[in-house]
Amino acid sequence: GIVEPVTRGGAELEARCGRGDIESPKELRRVEREDRVESVRARLPGAKLREEREPGASVVEHFAQCAEDGVLRYLPWHKTVSSRHEALHTKATKEWAPDSSGVVRQRLSQEMPGQDCATLYSLAQVMDRRGVALEAARLLPFEAHTLLVDRLFEALEDVPADPEHWEKTSLAQASKADREVFRLMALRIKGSLVRKPDGAYPLEPVLAQVLLDPRVQQ
């Protein structure tokens, strides 16, 4: 199934014990995460990863955790934040909460406001960030993710043939369609979400199938 992400904590490489556990997901080591993002940066035009187009650590770790768990989880647009936004707006506080065994422990909780995605320009930045994070997590190459992005923007920019009776596609409709794509991919996943020995990304064939689904075409 498809669920919302849990809040990221500060304990490095801490594995979750169960789907209902409130403890934070395992974090990708900082150096490894930065190396993966840098490898994507090296393949893309320079403008692709400047300023607001570079994904925050929480975004990369979200998808890395999906790969680790073998469960695809949707990350809402406003939570697909940039590294700059994350650095400027994340607040860390200490709190007491029970762990998976019921023992109350102190842990570090991080709070961060969502990032604007109310315009086509800001949405384009969101999609670049997600595309980079998906490739860094070894789930989907950036170019394959662009096929979905192009489909969404074609719908958003399309002018109705009969403007008096038909309205343009709204951001809310595009958001709903985007969620549906991830829901359908989650349902179609067979086996693990680990990158194949031959270098193939696990979500690439799944996304290609989903984009042909009549519900997505509609």
Side-chain angles (χ1 to χ4, degrees):
I2 186 165
V3 298
E4 294 293 328
V6 297
T7 301
R8 182 172 65 92
E12 192 168 72
L13 294 180
E14 181 178 1
R16 290 190 303 179
C17 297
R19 292 292 178 269
D21 198 338
I22 65 167
E23 292 179 319
S24 60
K26 185 191 79 171
E27 287 190 6
L28 194 65
R29 288 186 184 275
R30 181 179 61 83
V31 174
E32 181 181 358
R33 181 184 67 240
E34 292 175 353
D35 285 347
R36 288 190 184 188
V37 172
E38 182 59 36
S39 69
V40 182
R41 186 201 307 272
R43 290 200 317 100
L44 301 175
K48 283 295 184 183
L49 278 182
R50 291 178 184 169
E51 294 295 328
E52 294 298 328
R53 297 179 185 271
E54 181 169 346
S58 61
V59 180
V60 179
E61 286 166 8
H62 169 86
F63 289 113
Q65 189 67 61
C66 290
E68 175 73 16
D69 295 343
V71 178
L72 182 62
R73 303 178 185 86
Y74 187 74
L75 187 64
W77 290 350
H78 71 281
K79 292 187 178 182
T80 308
V81 300
S82 68
S83 58
R84 182 174 180 272
H85 178 89
E86 191 174 70
L88 291 175
H89 300 289
T90 299
K91 294 182 179 180
T93 58
K94 292 182 179 180
E95 62 180 26
W96 292 89
D99 61 16
S100 57
S101 61
V103 178
V104 176
R105 302 178 186 275
Q106 189 180 62
R107 67 168 185 161
L108 187 67
S109 176
Q110 295 184 341
E111 297 181 0
M112 177 178 54
Q115 190 167 2
D116 173 59
C117 54
T119 65
L120 291 184
Y121 179 70
S122 61
L123 180 57
Q125 294 177 326
V126 167
M127 292 301 170
D128 275 348
R129 293 194 290 265
R130 189 172 72 182
V132 171
L134 283 166
E135 180 167 331
R138 312 284 171 77
L139 288 174
L140 185 71
F142 186 91
E143 292 82 0
H145 178 256
T146 300
L147 298 177
L148 167 59
V149 177
D150 288 346
R151 186 72 62 83
L152 291 173
F153 274 83
E154 284 173 6
L156 286 167
E157 295 171 348
D158 185 45
V159 177
D162 187 359
E164 292 185 3
H165 298 89
W166 296 92
E167 295 183 355
K168 290 188 64 175
T169 301
S170 67
L171 283 172
Q173 290 173 312
S175 176
K176 183 177 179 180
D178 191 53
R179 282 179 176 270
E180 180 69 3
V181 168
F182 273 75
R183 188 186 73 84
L184 292 174
M185 284 199 294
L187 291 175
R188 288 172 180 259
I189 291 170
K190 304 297 182 182
S192 74
L193 282 175
V194 177
R195 192 177 181 186
K196 311 302 180 185
D198 62 1
Y201 290 81
L203 286 183
E204 189 166 8
V206 180
L207 177 59
Q209 294 172 6
V210 167
L211 289 179
L212 297 176
D213 190 290
R215 286 167 289 187
V216 177
Q217 299 268 359
Q218 192 74 10

